[in-house]
């Protein structure tokens, strides 16, 4: 039943199911050796190992306490695997995952083109390998972001007579950019996946906050001035993209 823990005929006495209204099915395993609750994703379920003393209310509280992380775990399970032929073709980044006759994994670069080279016997079904590939791709994106975004930000600031303190590249997946009251601008590395005109829109958006630290009509009027009266249209177009691979 929803929100409860139930046994199944095929389960052992130490295994149960818990159906969470948001996250779906949890596989609960009671372990006499466990000293704390642990979570891991497996076979499109979240497996929870619990010690013998854990009660149902404690399991529910533990799930609620790490719910954002569990959402990420489930989302990672739902993502398609990265396989040979995986490509990113963006203005600032061209990346491909390939197989070659090599005995080790390689990162190869030629200008703006990157290749992650995998040995021919690579098992792409391994969770650890998928996690490593995603980390490798994110690090390539971080490298390109550091190479191109601060320079582009400085160019736009000079062109429009705007000033900021410093620019940093972040791993944010919740926002494309931000600007502090001290004029410090943070830019998500995922910006390198966007079309050029949307990258410029985000940079100009944050630069506009150096004059207007809000989203008032004056802010949008200023951003319209910098984008040829397209601020709202560009904002709506940006909503079709996500800060993720």
């Amino acid at each position: 039943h929803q929100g409860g823990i139930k046994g199944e005929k095929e389960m052992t006495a130490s295994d149960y199911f818990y159906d969470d209204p948001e996250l779906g099915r949890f596989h609960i395993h009671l372990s006499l050796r466990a000293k704390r609750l642990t979570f891991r994703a497996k076979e499109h379920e979240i497996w929870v190992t619990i010690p013998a003393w854990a009660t149902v209310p404690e399991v529910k509280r533990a799930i609620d306490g790490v719910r954002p992380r569990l959402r990420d775990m489930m989302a990672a399970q739902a993502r398609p695997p990265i396989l040979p032929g995986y490509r990113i073709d963006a203005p600032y980044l061209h990346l491909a995952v390939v197989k070659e006759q090599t005995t080790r994994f390689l990162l190869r670069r030629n200008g703006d083109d990157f290749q992650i080279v995998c040995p021919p016997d690579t098992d792409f079904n391994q969770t650890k390998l998928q996690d490593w590939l995603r980390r490798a791709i994110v690090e390539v994106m971080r490298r390109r972001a550091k190479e191109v975004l601060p320079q582009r930000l400085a160019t736009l600031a000079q062109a429009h007579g705007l000033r900021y303190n410093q620019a940093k590249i972040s791993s944010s997946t919740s926002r494309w950019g931000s600007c502090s009251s001290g004029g410090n601008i943070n830019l998500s590395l995922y910006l390198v996946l966007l079309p050029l005109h949307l990258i410029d829109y985000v940079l100009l958006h944050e630069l506009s906050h150096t004059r207007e630290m809000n989203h008032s009509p004056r802010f949008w009027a200023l951003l319209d001035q910098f984008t040829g009266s397209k601020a709202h249209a560009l904002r709506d177009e940006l909503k079709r993209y996500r800060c993720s691979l």
Side-chain angles (χ1 to χ4, degrees):
H1 61 281
Q2 288 288 337
I5 295 179
K6 61 182 180 180
E8 298 283 340
K9 290 183 179 180
E10 69 272 21
M11 308 288 282
T12 68
S14 61
D15 291 86
Y16 309 89
F17 285 139
Y18 167 57
D19 293 320
D20 182 83
E22 177 194 5
L23 298 172
R25 173 157 290 190
F26 285 75
H27 187 126
I28 312 295
H29 174 69
L30 187 150
S31 171
L32 296 177
R33 293 182 296 178
K35 296 182 179 180
R36 58 187 177 88
L37 280 77
T38 59
F39 297 85
R40 61 191 174 97
K42 180 181 177 182
E43 298 172 354
H44 303 289
E45 291 179 344
I46 296 178
W47 286 52
V48 189
T49 300
I50 65 173
W53 50 259
T55 65
V56 172
E58 286 170 329
V59 173
K60 291 182 178 180
R61 284 196 297 270
I63 291 172
D64 287 336
V66 293
R67 190 169 289 272
R69 182 164 68 87
L70 295 176
R71 289 193 195 102
D72 292 341
M73 290 171 63
M74 294 300 289
Q77 288 237 110
R79 290 183 300 214
I82 296 172
L83 302 171
Y86 176 92
R87 295 190 61 86
I88 293 175
D89 286 306
Y92 284 140
L93 176 63
H94 304 282
L95 180 144
V97 177
V98 300
K99 272 187 177 183
E100 286 188 7
Q101 291 297 325
T102 179
T103 58
R104 58 193 179 95
F105 292 88
L106 303 171
L107 177 61
R108 180 184 298 151
R109 178 175 187 178
N110 181 16
D112 296 344
D113 295 326
F114 294 81
Q115 284 187 331
I116 297 176
V117 183
C118 306
D121 58 348
T122 300
D123 181 3
F124 287 88
N125 292 317
Q126 293 185 31
T127 301
K128 288 185 177 179
L129 175 64
Q130 288 296 316
D131 291 342
W132 179 85
L133 286 170
R134 290 185 182 278
R135 289 196 301 271
I137 292 170
V138 168
E139 286 309 308
V140 170
M141 292 165 55
R142 188 189 310 278
R143 183 183 304 183
R144 285 299 290 150
K146 287 182 176 180
E147 290 173 351
V148 299
L149 296 181
Q151 181 179 352
R152 182 60 181 165
L153 184 71
T155 298
L156 290 173
Q158 183 176 12
H160 296 284
L162 300 168
R163 300 182 66 181
Y164 60 96
N165 186 25
Q166 60 180 339
K168 292 184 178 180
I169 303 301
S170 75
S171 302
S172 175
T173 58
S174 61
R175 57 177 62 187
W176 297 105
S178 63
C179 179
S180 72
S181 58
N184 297 314
I185 293 178
N186 284 304
L187 301 172
S188 171
L189 60 88
Y190 292 95
L191 279 167
V192 296
L193 300 179
L194 293 179
L196 291 175
H197 68 286
L198 289 181
I199 295 175
D200 280 359
Y201 164 74
V202 173
L203 302 186
L204 288 168
H205 185 114
E206 302 311 329
L207 285 169
S208 295
H209 280 312
T210 62
R211 290 190 184 175
E212 297 289 340
M213 282 298 299
N214 50 54
H215 289 109
S216 66
R218 288 197 307 178
F219 168 84
W220 288 107
L222 183 64
L223 190 51
D224 259 339
Q225 177 185 331
F226 299 146
T227 59
S229 301
K230 296 179 180 178
H232 286 87
L234 291 168
R235 178 197 61 183
D236 293 342
E237 184 180 352
L238 183 64
K239 291 179 180 178
R240 301 203 293 265
Y241 294 84
R242 293 185 303 165
C243 290
S244 64
L245 289 179

